[in-house]
Amino acid sequence: MKIDRVRSLQVSAEWDYHEPLGEAHLSRPESIYPELEARVPSWPVDDVAGGPPYTVTAHFLLIDTDAGASGICGPVSDEDIAIIQRYFGELLIGEDPHAIERVWDKMYRHAIHGRKGTPMMALSKVDLALWDLKGKLLGAPVYQLLGGPSRERIRAYASMLGYSVEPNKVIERTRHFRAQGFTAFKWFLPCAPKDGEPGIRRNLAVIRAAREAAGPDCDLMFDAWSSWNVPYTQRMVELSREYRPYWFEEPVLADLIPQYAELRRSVSGVFISGGEHEYTRWGIKALLDARAVDILQADVTWAGGLSEMTKICALASAHDIPVIPHHGGWPSTHLIASQALTTCPMQEWLIQHGRVPNVFYKHKLVPADGHIHLPTAPGLSMDLADEGVSLLEERTLAS
């Protein structure tokens, strides 16, 4: 059996979603420039003005074999598709679909100028489609092929990206999702050093409101989105201590590894997390060697796919550092389910953004009582739904 074609599907579906979208203001690295701070990200949909239902479109990557079996990964970006066609597609043709390590190494060596960033993100999607294909060929969920299951369900934390951070809204929505069984929440803080003392007070108001709504027994995490610096983070840790934040995420830019390490040494009672903008085992090793983070957050869809994330988890476990992957949807579920509970204790669930792929999927990822139950379908559970999904375009990327 050989791989004989790589193709993409562009599809559309209707998202009947009635909660507010695009209402959040949060700190971002580029917010030091006023003209960029004013730009509000449009995701998870491009146009919210028309209201629900929203028409959403996406690309899916397919890898076909001469025996008729196919692996799928999606949604993937337009940029992913362009890079796969330009750099990776032809490398797959004629390969044994079971030989994922060989294919990964070929792609990595071929794209030596793309070791990080968008080329590695595209490589990750190829790797995931290959694992989906392998699961289907062997008739098993991918977590079984990786060594699992380590548990029947995974604790999920509610990631509140996109929601308003006005304190009354934070209270309302934290209570709402607490009632649905979530016992951990992450809010995205709105202010950074440029906002001065008023910004510090505003950040604290968000933290205070989240703790009031969540009660004493929930874990609370706060994302600075790489917008802070060391002194600001130290001050936020000290001022927020009474509200017991579990971690502060990406407090400084990803390349400032010594500053991460300084924060980890200098603060107590709060974990420093990061790594979502790092790639491959070699990038993660640099973080671990520097003792830069308490919690690693590499993304299975960015950092090299499942092939690489299993190596990252092995490195992290040797340093006794837990891996709580950034986003990742179904691929993160399979990774976490294959790892020991101490290595991968829980999964991020984006309350708004995580729901969008479900409009395309046959197998919906829907947490129940604050947990994600393991899928049973062969592969990665990213197959397109039989109904409600319209094909807009099919393209051959390599054959």
Side-chain angles (χ1 to χ4, degrees):
M1 185 190 308
K2 302 294 183 183
I3 295 170
D4 68 352
R5 185 164 64 146
V6 181
R7 57 193 167 107
S8 68
L9 304 179
Q10 185 181 20
V11 295
S12 69
E14 296 295 309
W15 188 33
D16 193 23
Y17 181 80
H18 292 267
E19 293 182 28
L21 290 172
E23 63 179 7
H25 168 80
L26 64 161
S27 64
R28 305 189 303 278
E30 67 269 31
S31 295
I32 61 171
Y33 298 101
E35 69 273 20
L36 296 180
E37 183 179 27
R39 293 172 56 187
V40 178
S42 60
W43 33 254
V45 296
D46 293 329
D47 181 15
V48 300
Y54 304 99
T55 299
V56 291
T57 61
H59 291 282
F60 279 72
L61 171 69
L62 285 90
I63 298 176
D64 304 325
T65 68
D66 56 9
S70 297
I72 190 168
C73 176
V76 305
S77 69
D78 296 353
E79 194 169 30
D80 287 329
I81 294 299
I83 292 171
I84 291 166
Q85 183 170 29
R86 171 67 178 83
Y87 290 103
F88 301 135
E90 290 296 336
L91 299 180
L92 276 66
I93 303 304
E95 287 289 338
D96 180 346
H98 289 285
I100 301 177
E101 280 291 323
R102 169 185 161 88
V103 175
W104 195 101
D105 195 54
K106 282 180 65 176
M107 292 190 292
Y108 174 78
R109 291 172 180 273
H110 181 64
I112 193 62
H113 296 293
R115 299 177 299 107
K116 297 177 184 287
T118 50
M120 183 53 62
M121 294 162 82
L123 186 155
S124 301
K125 309 308 192 302
V126 175
D127 183 80
L128 294 174
L130 288 170
W131 276 105
D132 180 71
L133 174 56
K134 189 164 189 171
K136 288 170 179 170
L137 291 172
L138 297 176
V142 169
Y143 61 79
Q144 290 186 354
L145 308 184
L146 297 175
S150 59
R151 68 209 86 171
E152 294 181 354
R153 61 179 191 166
I154 298 166
R155 184 190 181 202
Y157 76 81
S159 190
M160 309 300 286
L161 182 64
Y163 284 108
S164 170
V165 289
E166 293 306 313
N168 61 327
K169 291 293 186 181
V170 172
I171 291 172
E172 174 189 336
R173 281 155 182 165
T174 301
R175 285 176 175 167
H176 173 76
F177 291 109
R178 180 75 179 90
Q180 293 187 18
F182 287 97
T183 58
F185 302 86
K186 183 170 76 181
W187 285 93
F188 294 74
L189 295 174
C191 297
K194 68 177 181 58
D195 301 305
E197 291 297 319
I200 288 176
R201 290 194 295 272
R202 190 175 179 202
N203 282 343
L204 287 173
V206 175
I207 295 170
R208 184 184 307 114
R211 176 55 69 195
E212 176 185 336
D217 299 326
C218 287
D219 291 321
L220 292 178
M221 297 79 81
F222 299 96
D223 197 329
W225 206 335
S226 302
S227 299
W228 295 357
N229 55 35
V230 169
Y232 192 90
T233 306
Q234 291 168 331
R235 186 144 187 247
M236 285 302 308
V237 167
E238 186 60 34
L239 292 173
S240 64
R241 193 178 302 280
E242 63 180 294
Y243 306 111
R244 293 183 294 105
Y246 183 24
W247 76 59
F248 279 123
E249 181 169 330
E250 283 203 310
V252 298
L253 288 167
D255 287 325
L256 301 181
I257 295 176
Q259 286 76 11
Y260 271 98
E262 180 182 352
L263 283 170
R264 191 182 178 209
R265 289 192 305 268
S266 64
V267 303
S268 62
V270 178
F271 289 146
I272 300 297
S273 68
E276 74 179 70
H277 291 110
E278 196 49 82
Y279 304 88
T280 73
R281 76 200 86 156
W282 298 285
I284 294 298
K285 184 177 183 297
L287 288 174
L288 294 170
D289 288 346
R291 303 187 179 214
V293 294
D294 296 291
I295 295 168
L296 272 173
Q297 296 173 301
D299 189 316
V300 66
T301 69
W302 295 355
L306 282 165
S307 297
E308 199 65 1
M309 284 295 292
T310 55
K311 299 176 179 68
I312 287 169
C313 287
L315 281 171
S317 67
H319 287 78
D320 199 25
I321 297 292
V323 178
I324 302 177
H326 172 259
H327 303 182
W330 277 130
S332 278
T333 301
H334 285 268
L335 174 75
I336 294 167
S338 74
Q339 300 293 315
L341 183 62
T342 51
T343 302
C344 290
M346 61 179 171
Q347 179 167 350
E348 180 172 14
W349 172 245
L350 284 162
I351 295 293
Q352 286 192 351
H353 300 253
R355 299 181 195 182
V356 179
N358 279 334
V359 303
F360 303 110
Y361 289 156
K362 175 189 282 187
H363 309 289
K364 314 299 185 187
L365 202 175
V366 181
D369 194 27
H371 290 77
I372 294 169
H373 289 258
L374 302 192
T376 58
L380 285 175
S381 301
M382 292 192 290
D383 299 293
L384 290 169
D386 297 324
E387 298 180 355
V389 177
S390 299
L391 176 63
L392 302 178
E393 181 186 39
E394 179 174 351
R395 290 171 52 198
T396 296
L397 306 182
S399 61

